[in-house]
Amino acid sequence: IHVGAPFKNWGEAVFLNIQCAVQLLLTWYYTPGVSLIMRLPFVCLYMAFLAAVYTDSVPADVYPVISLSVAVLFTAARAPQILLNFKQGHTGQLSLVTYGLNVFGNMAPLA
């Protein structure tokens, strides 16, 4: 199995990747105006990344970097919401506490 670890150690990531893929496909389905040509490179890059990680093509010392990249992507994904909240003058559903808990939760496997 993956890097010799039991499924309970890495299996959650498989289901999270499936969840993210479904959310992405639903977002694309309900968002008009973006052509398939613009979407296809992202799908191919994502699939190549997953194939590399789950077939042990990535060295084990790179895994902590991948874990930290989730925090960076989480921050980048929140940037439009942060800007909108700043313009509106309130936080809406974005909370600094929730954001901090998510970031530290992503870093927990590194400890």
Side-chain angles (χ1 to χ4, degrees):
I1 309 249
H2 184 63
V3 190
F7 182 76
K8 67 177 186 160
N9 290 2
W10 58 271
E12 179 185 9
V14 172
F15 293 107
L16 289 174
N17 281 312
I18 292 170
Q19 177 186 353
C20 288
V22 168
Q23 288 176 343
L24 181 64
L25 291 173
L26 286 171
T27 301
W28 284 352
Y29 180 77
Y30 290 109
T31 304
V34 180
S35 70
L36 180 63
I37 301 299
M38 296 297 292
R39 297 173 184 177
L40 193 58
F42 294 107
V43 171
C44 292
L45 182 64
Y46 184 64
M47 296 303 287
F49 171 75
L50 291 180
V53 169
Y54 288 116
T55 59
D56 299 332
S57 299
V58 176
D61 58 339
V62 176
Y63 288 130
V65 175
I66 293 172
S67 293
L68 287 176
S69 69
V70 173
V72 173
L73 291 173
F74 180 75
T75 303
R78 295 287 187 208
Q81 185 179 8
I82 291 169
L83 292 174
L84 179 63
N85 291 343
F86 182 75
K87 288 178 185 176
Q88 292 177 344
H90 60 81
T91 60
Q93 295 181 359
L94 181 64
S95 165
L96 183 60
V97 173
T98 305
Y99 171 76
L101 290 173
N102 279 319
V103 169
F104 290 122
N106 289 327
M107 293 170 48
L110 301 177

